[in-house]
Amino acid sequence: MQLRMTNQREIILRELINSQRHLTADELYDIVKKIMPRISLATVYRNLEILSGAKIIGKLEISGRQKRFDYNPSEHDHIYCVVCHRVDNLEMAHKGLSTEEFGAVVGYAVTGYRLEIVGVCPECQRMKDNKEK
Amino acid sequence: MQLRMTNQREIILRELINSQRHLTADELYDIVKKIMPRISLATVYRNLEILSGAKIIGKLEISGRQKRFDYNPSEHDHIYCVVCHRVDNLEMAHKGLSTEEFGAVVGYAVTGYRLEIVGVCPECQRMKDNKEK
DNA sequence: CTCCGTGCAAACGATTTGCACTATG
DNA sequence: CATAGTGCAAATCGTTTGCACGGAG
């Protein structure tokens, strides 16, 4: 199955990048609808899923209910506002700073952080090994 | 408004702690239903919300669609299995280790991490200042 | 007795899916 | 011209809420 560059996919991608923000599917839908009024929300969802699967954009599954999509697909950390729920990027260039210093760089008043290491647990490694035999 | 220790609240809390796992509301509901068959899922949701608000348990809003609740209310990091979606605790005692070393301690094969710093963004700080004047 | 907590069902918000149609490569 | 993608509506999933009743303090 190969990717086709449809009109709607192109506009969705372009508007996400132009926004320079971490939009939810429906925020992006509102923007794209102004350009292509007959587009459906389902199309936006489908394309965001496909584009993040292809590593063309990033997907954020953190900080609350709605997924947000990141115009920048490369690895980097995020900073989240508990009041308005916006998410900003943190450049890896500042690695080694404390969370407070990290926040200060982008003007945030830091109250905490969430760290989740991701991987495969011992049980699932074992199951995988068994399958490969 | 003060907290009452009802039968259902007691069982919900006890079973979450006994499990020593990070359960979703419906996983915990399945467990509790065996002990108290007429309990409703809404009661489980309400109590988990109240107990985490009172810092008696922790709430995890990361790693995917469903919230998970943590029997351990104190600050600590988590490690997430991409295959079975379980979440384990990481003890702060190991601070200073790399993410890979962190994973090795608990037997995980680490593939990455998610870091989100939490705070108040510059705009929201300004709004707050204005309100206080 | 007060009023917090409960069970039930219905409502809700975000996301996904089945279907017939369209259009890319 | 094959088949990936679309628009629409309905379905689904996790969670919340309104309401009348029940029980803890």
Side-chain angles (χ1 to χ4, degrees):
Chain A
M1 82 120 181
Q2 55 169 8
L3 285 203
R4 290 179 183 176
M5 187 48 66
T6 61
N7 231 302
Q8 18 283 82
R9 183 163 299 162
E10 198 178 343
I11 292 173
I12 287 167
L13 180 56
R14 189 188 70 209
E15 292 306 315
L16 178 61
I17 293 171
N18 279 352
S19 78
Q20 287 289 305
R21 293 172 46 218
H22 298 79
L23 300 172
T24 60
D26 64 292
E27 286 169 348
L28 189 51
Y29 173 60
D30 286 341
I31 293 170
V32 169
K33 213 168 31 178
K34 285 174 189 153
I35 300 163
M36 182 179 262
R38 292 191 57 84
I39 199 170
S40 93
L41 180 56
T43 297
V44 175
Y45 271 106
R46 275 188 284 234
N47 276 299
L48 288 172
E49 230 23 78
I50 288 169
L51 290 169
S52 62
K55 310 280 185 204
I56 296 170
I57 62 174
K59 176 164 47 162
L60 274 73
E61 307 216 41
I62 42 182
S63 56
R65 36 240 112 264
Q66 266 173 289
K67 283 179 196 158
R68 289 182 177 273
F69 293 86
D70 192 338
Y71 55 91
N72 175 2
S74 64
E75 281 293 334
H76 60 278
D77 299 328
H78 294 98
I79 187 160
Y80 167 72
C81 178
V82 288
V83 179
C84 67
H85 309 294
R86 68 180 285 170
V87 175
D88 287 306
N89 287 333
L90 287 177
E91 298 307 325
M92 293 323 287
H94 301 117
K95 222 165 185 165
L97 298 180
S98 71
T99 53
E100 284 74 17
E101 290 167 335
F102 235 145
V105 169
V106 286
Y108 271 68
V110 172
T111 57
Y113 72 96
R114 300 170 180 146
L115 172 63
E116 191 179 56
I117 297 181
V118 176
V120 183
C121 73
E123 278 88 313
C124 289
Q125 289 175 54
R126 237 175 278 132
M127 280 182 47
K128 205 183 161 194
D129 289 347
N130 289 341
K131 264 191 200 162
E132 281 168 4
K133 276 171 197 163
Chain B
M1 81 120 181
Q2 56 167 9
L3 287 201
R4 290 179 183 173
M5 189 47 68
T6 62
N7 232 300
Q8 17 284 82
R9 183 163 299 163
E10 198 177 343
I11 292 174
I12 287 167
L13 180 56
R14 190 189 69 209
E15 293 305 317
L16 178 61
I17 293 170
N18 280 352
S19 77
Q20 287 290 305
R21 293 172 46 217
H22 299 78
L23 300 172
T24 60
D26 64 291
E27 285 169 349
L28 188 50
Y29 172 61
D30 286 341
I31 294 171
V32 170
K33 211 168 31 177
K34 284 174 190 153
I35 300 162
M36 182 178 264
R38 292 193 55 85
I39 198 170
S40 92
L41 180 56
T43 298
V44 175
Y45 271 106
R46 273 187 285 236
N47 275 301
L48 288 172
E49 228 26 76
I50 288 168
L51 290 169
S52 62
K55 310 277 184 205
I56 295 169
I57 61 175
K59 177 163 45 160
L60 276 71
E61 307 217 41
I62 42 181
S63 60
R65 41 238 114 266
Q66 266 173 288
K67 283 178 196 160
R68 289 182 177 274
F69 294 86
D70 193 338
Y71 56 90
N72 175 4
S74 64
E75 281 293 334
H76 59 278
D77 299 328
H78 295 99
I79 187 161
Y80 168 73
C81 177
V82 288
V83 179
C84 67
H85 308 295
R86 69 180 284 169
V87 175
D88 287 307
N89 287 332
L90 288 177
E91 297 307 326
M92 293 323 288
H94 300 118
K95 221 164 185 165
L97 298 181
S98 70
T99 53
E100 284 74 17
E101 290 166 337
F102 234 144
V105 170
V106 285
Y108 272 67
V110 173
T111 57
Y113 73 95
R114 300 171 181 147
L115 171 64
E116 190 179 55
I117 298 181
V118 177
V120 183
C121 73
E123 278 88 314
C124 289
Q125 288 176 55
R126 235 175 280 134
M127 279 181 49
K128 204 183 163 196
D129 289 347
N130 288 341
K131 265 190 200 162
E132 281 167 4
K133 278 174 200 165

